[in-house]
Amino acid sequence: MSEEFVLLEPEDQPGDEWEELDVSDTEADRIARRQDREFSEFRERVKDTEQFKLQESVFDDATLAAVYKLVQDGYVDAFGGPVSTGKEASVFEALGGEAGERPEPGSAAAADEHAREVAVKVYRINSSNFRQMRDYLEGDPRFEGIANDKKAVVLAWTKKEFANLKRARKAGVRVPEPIAVQRNVLVMELVGHAEERARRLSEVDVENPETAYEVVREYMRRLYRAGLIHGDLSEYNMIIHDGELVVIDMGQAVTVHHPNAGEFLDRDCENVATFFTRQGIEVDPEDLRAYVTEPEPDPTGEPEGASERGSDE
């Protein structure tokens, strides 16, 4: 196979070594240099802390850049210690900044450190369970066409948890309030305090299991009607604080259109039924599933199909 290659014609005046080039600083150059310098100082400051030395595997340069952006944008003022540490993610307490509807600096609420506390969840890109995450992401119409590499999956997972939390709260489900997301870092409401950690349902004696069950099944129904299934609901992913039951770990929650949605819902119902049966109340997972998936009542108050029948008469 032969190909023809065409040479470009030279310009009449191609220039010479005496051609003047503008190498003066622009405002963009100065801003970029300042940002690089500030990030370098931030990285060195963080790496000098005891917290970083204990959690060095969490804070790679990409994660530090994400945290730095959240600091610059006013979502985080200062880091504290870890609230929980897992294989895939670590959660840290932090002081929230003025962004994200945190208390205004100088206000009475801002002077109360507890009122300013937030949780910062950092997903580890290198050690996250890439294959398991893909199982939950594939089939979710919100994440079609996601690249098949670990970094892309973890970043999508973090955005997914943020989106799921927003949708759950809008549906009236008590979950931590999502505040901001940046790459593999999620800022959200801290339920409880580091010195008064909210307890998982598995860690407490449930004084009124009937009421707790009513709350859990209602939250499951509200999630379902909002188009979501938790996918890993159990006594280990619900916490109790100040008399409130809070659903956590919404990263794996899938839409009802996910190909495995039915399987995930069955598993949630089995887990919840098993736990509350151990608490002394009989819960049938099939009955729970029927309650969760019951169609929402017609807002007009008419029985289902009534309007269609009326139009035919």
mmCIF file of all heavy atoms in Angstrom, residues 1 8 15 31 60 66 87 105 117 134 149 157 180 189 214 235 257 276 298 302:
data_model
loop_
_atom_site.group_PDB
_atom_site.id
_atom_site.type_symbol
_atom_site.label_atom_id
_atom_site.label_comp_id
_atom_site.label_asym_id
_atom_site.label_seq_id
_atom_site.Cartn_x
_atom_site.Cartn_y
_atom_site.Cartn_z
ATOM 1 N N MET A 1 0.859 -1.201 0.000
ATOM 2 C CA MET A 1 0.000 0.000 0.000
ATOM 3 C C MET A 1 0.888 1.241 0.000
ATOM 4 O O MET A 1 1.769 1.390 0.840
ATOM 5 C CB MET A 1 -0.894 0.006 1.244
ATOM 6 C CG MET A 1 -1.800 1.209 1.330
ATOM 7 S SD MET A 1 -2.866 1.124 2.793
ATOM 8 C CE MET A 1 -3.708 2.683 2.626
ATOM 9 N N LEU A 8 4.348 20.899 3.683
ATOM 10 C CA LEU A 8 3.804 22.245 3.787
ATOM 11 C C LEU A 8 4.735 23.234 3.101
ATOM 12 O O LEU A 8 5.959 23.094 3.148
ATOM 13 C CB LEU A 8 3.636 22.641 5.259
ATOM 14 C CG LEU A 8 2.613 21.864 6.064
ATOM 15 C CD1 LEU A 8 2.665 22.329 7.529
ATOM 16 C CD2 LEU A 8 1.210 22.080 5.513
ATOM 17 N N GLY A 15 10.475 34.059 10.439
ATOM 18 C CA GLY A 15 11.000 34.581 11.688
ATOM 19 C C GLY A 15 12.464 34.219 11.857
ATOM 20 O O GLY A 15 13.027 33.437 11.091
ATOM 21 N N ILE A 31 -1.385 33.734 39.692
ATOM 22 C CA ILE A 31 -2.372 32.987 40.478
ATOM 23 C C ILE A 31 -1.994 31.509 40.555
ATOM 24 O O ILE A 31 -2.064 30.888 41.620
ATOM 25 C CB ILE A 31 -3.776 33.149 39.859
ATOM 26 C CG1 ILE A 31 -4.268 34.588 40.038
ATOM 27 C CG2 ILE A 31 -4.774 32.167 40.486
ATOM 28 C CD1 ILE A 31 -5.570 34.882 39.313
ATOM 29 N N ASP A 60 -2.993 10.268 50.061
ATOM 30 C CA ASP A 60 -2.058 10.417 48.957
ATOM 31 C C ASP A 60 -2.195 11.837 48.399
ATOM 32 O O ASP A 60 -3.036 12.615 48.841
ATOM 33 C CB ASP A 60 -2.304 9.362 47.872
ATOM 34 C CG ASP A 60 -3.741 9.390 47.343
ATOM 35 O OD1 ASP A 60 -4.410 10.437 47.474
ATOM 36 O OD2 ASP A 60 -4.191 8.364 46.813
ATOM 37 N N ALA A 66 -7.749 17.137 46.992
ATOM 38 C CA ALA A 66 -9.205 17.230 47.159
ATOM 39 C C ALA A 66 -9.551 17.899 48.485
ATOM 40 O O ALA A 66 -10.438 18.763 48.549
ATOM 41 C CB ALA A 66 -9.824 15.837 47.084
ATOM 42 N N LYS A 87 -11.529 -0.704 55.650
ATOM 43 C CA LYS A 87 -10.630 -1.070 54.566
ATOM 44 C C LYS A 87 -10.762 -0.126 53.383
ATOM 45 O O LYS A 87 -9.775 0.236 52.748
ATOM 46 C CB LYS A 87 -10.914 -2.507 54.123
ATOM 47 C CG LYS A 87 -10.024 -2.982 52.979
ATOM 48 C CD LYS A 87 -10.377 -4.392 52.561
ATOM 49 C CE LYS A 87 -9.519 -4.837 51.374
ATOM 50 N NZ LYS A 87 -9.871 -6.188 50.911
ATOM 51 N N PRO A 105 -19.145 32.446 60.651
ATOM 52 C CA PRO A 105 -18.034 32.792 61.535
ATOM 53 C C PRO A 105 -18.398 33.967 62.437
ATOM 54 O O PRO A 105 -18.994 34.952 61.992
ATOM 55 C CB PRO A 105 -16.911 33.170 60.553
ATOM 56 C CG PRO A 105 -17.269 32.474 59.277
ATOM 57 C CD PRO A 105 -18.756 32.444 59.228
ATOM 58 N N GLU A 117 -19.117 20.859 63.888
ATOM 59 C CA GLU A 117 -18.467 19.603 63.525
ATOM 60 C C GLU A 117 -19.101 18.977 62.279
ATOM 61 O O GLU A 117 -20.317 18.982 62.119
ATOM 62 C CB GLU A 117 -18.535 18.609 64.691
ATOM 63 C CG GLU A 117 -17.573 18.939 65.818
ATOM 64 C CD GLU A 117 -17.673 17.960 66.964
ATOM 65 O OE1 GLU A 117 -18.704 17.255 67.077
ATOM 66 O OE2 GLU A 117 -16.724 17.891 67.753
ATOM 67 N N ARG A 134 -18.157 -2.038 41.260
ATOM 68 C CA ARG A 134 -18.674 -2.089 39.891
ATOM 69 C C ARG A 134 -20.018 -2.804 39.846
ATOM 70 O O ARG A 134 -20.905 -2.447 39.071
ATOM 71 C CB ARG A 134 -17.682 -2.786 38.954
ATOM 72 C CG ARG A 134 -16.568 -1.887 38.463
ATOM 73 C CD ARG A 134 -16.083 -2.296 37.089
ATOM 74 N NE ARG A 134 -17.096 -2.032 36.077
ATOM 75 C CZ ARG A 134 -17.168 -0.913 35.360
ATOM 76 N NH1 ARG A 134 -16.311 0.064 35.574
ATOM 77 N NH2 ARG A 134 -18.104 -0.748 34.460
ATOM 78 N N ASP A 149 -11.700 1.498 35.284
ATOM 79 C CA ASP A 149 -10.477 1.522 36.092
ATOM 80 C C ASP A 149 -10.821 1.928 37.519
ATOM 81 O O ASP A 149 -11.873 2.532 37.766
ATOM 82 C CB ASP A 149 -9.424 2.466 35.498
ATOM 83 C CG ASP A 149 -9.829 3.924 35.576
ATOM 84 O OD1 ASP A 149 -9.611 4.539 36.636
ATOM 85 O OD2 ASP A 149 -10.381 4.451 34.600
ATOM 86 N N TRP A 157 -18.226 6.308 42.823
ATOM 87 C CA TRP A 157 -18.854 5.794 44.045
ATOM 88 C C TRP A 157 -19.071 6.923 45.063
ATOM 89 O O TRP A 157 -20.116 7.014 45.715
ATOM 90 C CB TRP A 157 -17.975 4.713 44.643
ATOM 91 C CG TRP A 157 -18.548 4.007 45.838
ATOM 92 C CD1 TRP A 157 -18.449 4.391 47.149
ATOM 93 C CD2 TRP A 157 -19.304 2.793 45.836
ATOM 94 N NE1 TRP A 157 -19.085 3.489 47.964
ATOM 95 C CE2 TRP A 157 -19.620 2.493 47.185
ATOM 96 C CE3 TRP A 157 -19.730 1.923 44.845
ATOM 97 C CZ2 TRP A 157 -20.350 1.361 47.554
ATOM 98 C CZ3 TRP A 157 -20.458 0.799 45.208
ATOM 99 C CH2 TRP A 157 -20.758 0.539 46.541
ATOM 100 N N ALA A 180 -20.696 18.476 50.852
ATOM 101 C CA ALA A 180 -19.870 18.722 49.661
ATOM 102 C C ALA A 180 -19.162 17.437 49.276
ATOM 103 O O ALA A 180 -18.968 16.536 50.100
ATOM 104 C CB ALA A 180 -18.848 19.832 49.933
ATOM 105 N N GLU A 189 -22.733 15.746 57.460
ATOM 106 C CA GLU A 189 -23.049 15.961 58.864
ATOM 107 C C GLU A 189 -22.408 14.872 59.729
ATOM 108 O O GLU A 189 -22.423 13.701 59.380
ATOM 109 C CB GLU A 189 -24.563 15.921 59.034
ATOM 110 C CG GLU A 189 -25.056 15.901 60.467
ATOM 111 C CD GLU A 189 -26.523 15.507 60.564
ATOM 112 O OE1 GLU A 189 -27.152 15.231 59.520
ATOM 113 O OE2 GLU A 189 -27.043 15.477 61.696
ATOM 114 N N GLU A 214 -40.895 0.018 63.244
ATOM 115 C CA GLU A 214 -41.815 0.859 62.480
ATOM 116 C C GLU A 214 -41.049 1.956 61.741
ATOM 117 O O GLU A 214 -41.356 2.278 60.585
ATOM 118 C CB GLU A 214 -42.857 1.487 63.411
ATOM 119 C CG GLU A 214 -43.832 0.501 64.033
ATOM 120 C CD GLU A 214 -44.730 -0.172 63.011
ATOM 121 O OE1 GLU A 214 -45.126 0.507 62.043
ATOM 122 O OE2 GLU A 214 -45.020 -1.376 63.172
ATOM 123 N N GLU A 235 -28.398 -4.017 60.952
ATOM 124 C CA GLU A 235 -28.156 -3.323 62.209
ATOM 125 C C GLU A 235 -26.777 -2.669 62.262
ATOM 126 O O GLU A 235 -26.494 -1.861 63.149
ATOM 127 C CB GLU A 235 -28.310 -4.290 63.384
ATOM 128 C CG GLU A 235 -27.320 -5.451 63.410
ATOM 129 C CD GLU A 235 -27.816 -6.686 62.664
ATOM 130 O OE1 GLU A 235 -28.612 -6.524 61.706
ATOM 131 O OE2 GLU A 235 -27.396 -7.795 63.018
ATOM 132 N N HIS A 257 -34.327 0.540 39.280
ATOM 133 C CA HIS A 257 -34.173 0.038 37.916
ATOM 134 C C HIS A 257 -32.908 -0.792 37.739
ATOM 135 O O HIS A 257 -32.657 -1.308 36.651
ATOM 136 C CB HIS A 257 -34.154 1.211 36.925
ATOM 137 C CG HIS A 257 -35.355 2.103 37.044
ATOM 138 N ND1 HIS A 257 -36.625 1.685 36.725
ATOM 139 C CD2 HIS A 257 -35.489 3.383 37.488
ATOM 140 C CE1 HIS A 257 -37.485 2.664 36.938
ATOM 141 N NE2 HIS A 257 -36.819 3.702 37.403
ATOM 142 N N PHE A 276 -34.772 -7.868 63.991
ATOM 143 C CA PHE A 276 -35.890 -7.540 64.880
ATOM 144 C C PHE A 276 -36.576 -8.784 65.444
ATOM 145 O O PHE A 276 -37.154 -8.727 66.531
ATOM 146 C CB PHE A 276 -36.873 -6.613 64.167
ATOM 147 C CG PHE A 276 -36.401 -5.188 64.120
ATOM 148 C CD1 PHE A 276 -35.869 -4.659 62.955
ATOM 149 C CD2 PHE A 276 -36.462 -4.394 65.250
ATOM 150 C CE1 PHE A 276 -35.408 -3.344 62.921
ATOM 151 C CE2 PHE A 276 -35.999 -3.083 65.232
ATOM 152 C CZ PHE A 276 -35.482 -2.552 64.062
ATOM 153 N N ASP A 298 -52.956 7.210 45.447
ATOM 154 C CA ASP A 298 -53.279 8.256 44.481
ATOM 155 C C ASP A 298 -53.569 9.545 45.250
ATOM 156 O O ASP A 298 -54.413 9.554 46.147
ATOM 157 C CB ASP A 298 -54.517 7.842 43.681
ATOM 158 C CG ASP A 298 -54.784 8.790 42.513
ATOM 159 O OD1 ASP A 298 -54.575 10.012 42.687
ATOM 160 O OD2 ASP A 298 -55.200 8.314 41.455
ATOM 161 N N GLU A 302 -58.662 8.717 44.852
ATOM 162 C CA GLU A 302 -59.469 7.742 44.139
ATOM 163 C C GLU A 302 -58.805 6.374 44.162
ATOM 164 O O GLU A 302 -57.571 6.285 44.127
ATOM 165 C CB GLU A 302 -59.663 8.183 42.683
ATOM 166 C CG GLU A 302 -60.458 9.460 42.521
ATOM 167 C CD GLU A 302 -60.666 9.802 41.059
ATOM 168 O OE1 GLU A 302 -60.141 9.061 40.203
ATOM 169 O OE2 GLU A 302 -61.355 10.785 40.782
#
